[in-house]
């Protein structure tokens, strides 16, 4: 039986991209801007035995292509949101075991400051943080917001590669793990274990000493979710955990194979990358009960959200077409895959489909036993290492999952075991808190000359 790991997908905003279920009477996501909300969610995750809480993030506005930009404000879509690093800091202060994974953009962050921010959180949490490396899909509006030049899709991955090389030097090479002696009769730090770094890359430069000492994990656990050829190659080289969207056993198996092949291509072991799929579910006492709960969720979202959300991806206003219009009659210069994947369907069919799950994965609707069966089927059929639970209603979805599904998985021997207190030991089941083996970060460890004594 595969040993699985679980994280919770969260977003410090009232809805997830392209969906708006904040109106559901039981949904507390609209409280995303209170400390109480985050501490409640973190406690459920920690006590329930989830490995980590994941905080997604985005910059820029999805409504840029919108036919109804007002819907974004009316429904709290995408904006406003809070800074995931500051939310994480509060969560880490109130938990002891839970990992927290933050999304940070290599297009928009400054690597030197970013390295220190991550090291600070890793230090204060005793090694419980991870970084979801993103190149920012909404780059067109994000660069306008930041007032910086646009960088094309594949070049953003070249930039990400340069970014990570610099932060590896700072995390792994600037201060050796045992540099701090804090000996009041001797030295605070051993100068022979402190190294100047030098980085002159195509996008980023840095010279001199690292601003923070070696943290418990050194490099935080590295997550990535690129799915384009450039994204896959980057993930294969740098990712320790790769996220994929939801899908059928066959679709997930294809993703999992491609990710492991990309790792091998980069000279790494296929098994050194953990593959985790997004998973959304509605759990009922019976199948009928689950279907009723699902319908309540669907009814809580207005039809305007569906129209506006589809338009963000494609620029097309489906409400302007006769519902019987075949999708093959439509054309867009934006996301063509969001039109072509509906070939054979009508505008009316797509409105219904998009209302249910937007561009994301379809929810699995059933009893706790059926959910556990499905998880095992997906994990075994697609060679997955775990799942990122995407809640539909908070905190209800998370409570249902940890109280009803995890015990079944535990009983069936499908839950992974932690080897230590840090996120890396817990999730990657490594014997070491720091990054090891064939990962490129290892090669940056203390290679520069130390301070002369
Ligand atoms: C589970 C999951 C979570 C993701 N979270 C984020 C996120 O928080 N922020 C973001 O900008 N992109 C996020 N993405 C998008 C990916 O980083 C990536 O841009 C996307 O999969 C497309 O890949 P590509 O850029 O290589 O084409 C996520 C993707 C998945 C599957």
């Amino acid at each position: 039986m595969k040993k699985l790991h679980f994280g919770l997908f969260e977003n410090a905003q009232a809805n997830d991209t392209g969906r708006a279920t904040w109106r559901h009477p039981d949904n507390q996501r609209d409280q995303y801007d209170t400390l109480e909300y985050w501490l409640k969610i973190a406690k459920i995750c920690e006590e329930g035995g989830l490995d980590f809480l994941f905080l997604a993030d985005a910059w820029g506005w999805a409504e840029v292509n919108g036919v109804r930009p007002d819907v974004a404000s009316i429904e709290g879509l995408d904006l406003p949101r809070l800074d995931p690093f500051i939310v994480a800091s509060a969560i880490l202060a109130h938990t002891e075991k839970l990992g927290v994974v933050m999304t940070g953009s290599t297009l928009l962050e400054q690597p030197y400051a970013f390295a220190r921010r991550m090291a600070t959180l890793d230090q204060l949490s005793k090694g419980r943080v991870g970084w979801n490396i993103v190149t920012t899909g909404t780059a067109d509006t994000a660069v306008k917001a930041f007032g910086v030049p646009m960088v094309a899709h594949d070049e953003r991955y070249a930039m990400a590669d340069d970014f990570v090389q610099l932060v590896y030097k700072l995390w792994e090479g600037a201060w050796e793990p045992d540099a701090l002696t804090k000996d009041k009769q001797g030295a605070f730090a051993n100068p022979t274990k402190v190294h100047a770094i030098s980085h002159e890359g195509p996008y980023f430069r840095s010279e001199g000493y690292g601003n923070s000492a070696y943290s418990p994990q050194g490099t935080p656990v590295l997550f990535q979710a690129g799915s384009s050829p450039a994204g896959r190659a980057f993930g294969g080289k740098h990712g320790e955990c790769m996220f994929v969207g939801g899908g059928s056993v066959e679709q997930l198996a294809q993703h999992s194979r491609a990710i492991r092949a990309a790792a091998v291509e980069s000279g790494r072991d296929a098994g050194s990358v953990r593959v985790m799929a997004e998973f959304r579910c509605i759990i009922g006492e019976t199948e009928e009960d689950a279907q009723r709960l699902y319908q309540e969720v669907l009814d809580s979202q207005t039809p305007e959200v569906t129209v506006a959300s589809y338009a963000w991806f494609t620029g097309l206003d489906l409400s302007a077409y006769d519902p019987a219009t075949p999708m093959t009659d439509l054309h867009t210069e934006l996301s063509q895959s969001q039109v072509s994947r509906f070939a054979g369907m009508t505008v009316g069919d797509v409105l219904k489909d998009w209302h249910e799950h937007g561009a994301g994965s379809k929810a699995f609707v059933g009893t706790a036993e059926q959910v556990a069966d499905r998880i095992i089927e997906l994990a075994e059929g697609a060679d997955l290492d775990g799942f990122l639970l995407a809640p539909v209603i908070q905190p209800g979805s998370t409570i249902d999952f940890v109280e009803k599904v995890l015990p079944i998985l535990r009983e069936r021997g499908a839950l992974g075991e932690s080897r230590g207190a840090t996120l890396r030991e817990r999730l990657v089941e490594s014997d070491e808190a720091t990054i090891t083996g064939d990962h490129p970060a290892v090669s940056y460890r203390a290679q520069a000359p130390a301070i002369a004594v």
Side-chain angles (χ1 to χ4, degrees), residues 4-7 42-52 97-98 402 406 410 415-416 426:
L4 301 173
H5 289 273
F6 290 87
K43 192 161 175 251
I44 297 165
C45 292
E46 180 155 85
E47 290 179 358
L50 294 183
D51 294 297
F52 64 92
K97 292 183 290 192
L98 186 69
V402 301
L406 282 188
R410 195 169 288 123
L415 290 193
R426 178 170 191 158

Side-chain angles (χ1 to χ4, degrees), residues 182-393:
K182 297 191 186 177
D183 174 1
K184 293 205 177 187
Q185 272 68 52
F188 181 78
N190 179 347
T192 65
K193 292 178 186 284
V194 183
H195 308 270
I197 64 115
S198 172
H199 185 80
E200 182 129 4
Y203 302 93
F204 302 105
R205 286 176 199 173
S206 182
E207 284 294 328
Y209 294 97
N211 214 250
S212 37
Y214 204 93
S215 69
Q217 297 183 112
T219 297
V221 182
L222 301 171
F223 291 73
Q224 218 272 320
S227 54
S228 61
R232 280 268 189 275
F234 178 88
K237 184 171 172 194
H238 299 285
E240 292 180 270
C241 283
M242 293 291 294
F243 289 140
V244 294
S248 64
V249 172
E250 296 71 34
Q251 286 164 329
L252 291 175
Q254 213 173 10
H255 285 310
S256 170
R257 272 197 303 273
I259 288 167
R260 296 186 201 282
V264 171
E265 195 107 324
S266 287
R268 297 172 68 201
D269 190 272
S272 65
V273 184
R274 301 278 175 272
V275 183
M276 301 184 83
E278 186 193 331
F279 186 77
R280 201 174 286 271
C281 62
I282 308 269
I283 304 163
E285 292 306 321
T286 59
E287 268 184 71
E288 299 70 46
D289 186 36
Q291 286 297 344
R292 180 186 58 77
L293 293 169
Y294 187 40
Q295 194 55 49
E296 278 176 21
V297 171
L298 296 181
D299 292 346
S300 71
Q301 177 168 281
T302 66
E304 287 80 16
V305 170
T306 311
V307 172
S309 163
Y310 188 77
W312 294 343
F313 285 88
T314 60
L316 296 169
D317 177 3
L318 292 187
S319 66
Y321 294 85
D322 183 318
T325 311
M327 285 301 287
T328 39
D329 285 4
L330 273 53
H331 176 74
T332 178
E333 288 301 324
L334 298 173
S335 177
Q336 293 174 1
S337 64
Q338 295 301 347
V339 178
S340 59
R341 79 181 176 97
F342 296 116
M345 289 167 73
T346 64
V347 164
D349 296 334
V350 173
L351 278 171
K352 185 170 173 300
D353 191 277
W354 200 270
H355 186 80
E356 285 198 28
H357 51 98
S361 63
K362 200 171 166 61
F364 182 86
V365 183
T367 64
E369 283 284 341
Q370 288 171 326
V371 170
D373 288 345
R374 179 68 178 157
I375 282 175
I376 290 175
E377 183 192 2
L378 289 172
E380 297 201 323
D383 189 18
L384 302 176
D385 301 289
F387 292 86
L388 192 58
L389 176 70
V392 181
I393 298 297

Side-chain angles (χ1 to χ4, degrees), residues 110-124 166-180 182 188-189 193-197 206 208-220:
Q110 279 294 326
Y112 192 78
F114 180 81
R116 183 180 70 169
R117 197 167 348 125
M118 264 294 177
T120 303
L121 289 174
D122 199 50
Q123 189 65 44
L124 297 182
L166 171 50
V167 294
Y168 291 158
K169 286 179 186 173
L170 291 163
W171 287 328
E172 297 293 339
W175 293 72
E176 292 187 40
D178 56 352
L180 295 196
K182 297 191 186 177
F188 181 78
K193 292 178 186 284
V194 183
H195 308 270
I197 64 115
S206 182
Y209 294 97
N211 214 250
S212 37
Y214 204 93
S215 69
Q217 297 183 112
T219 297

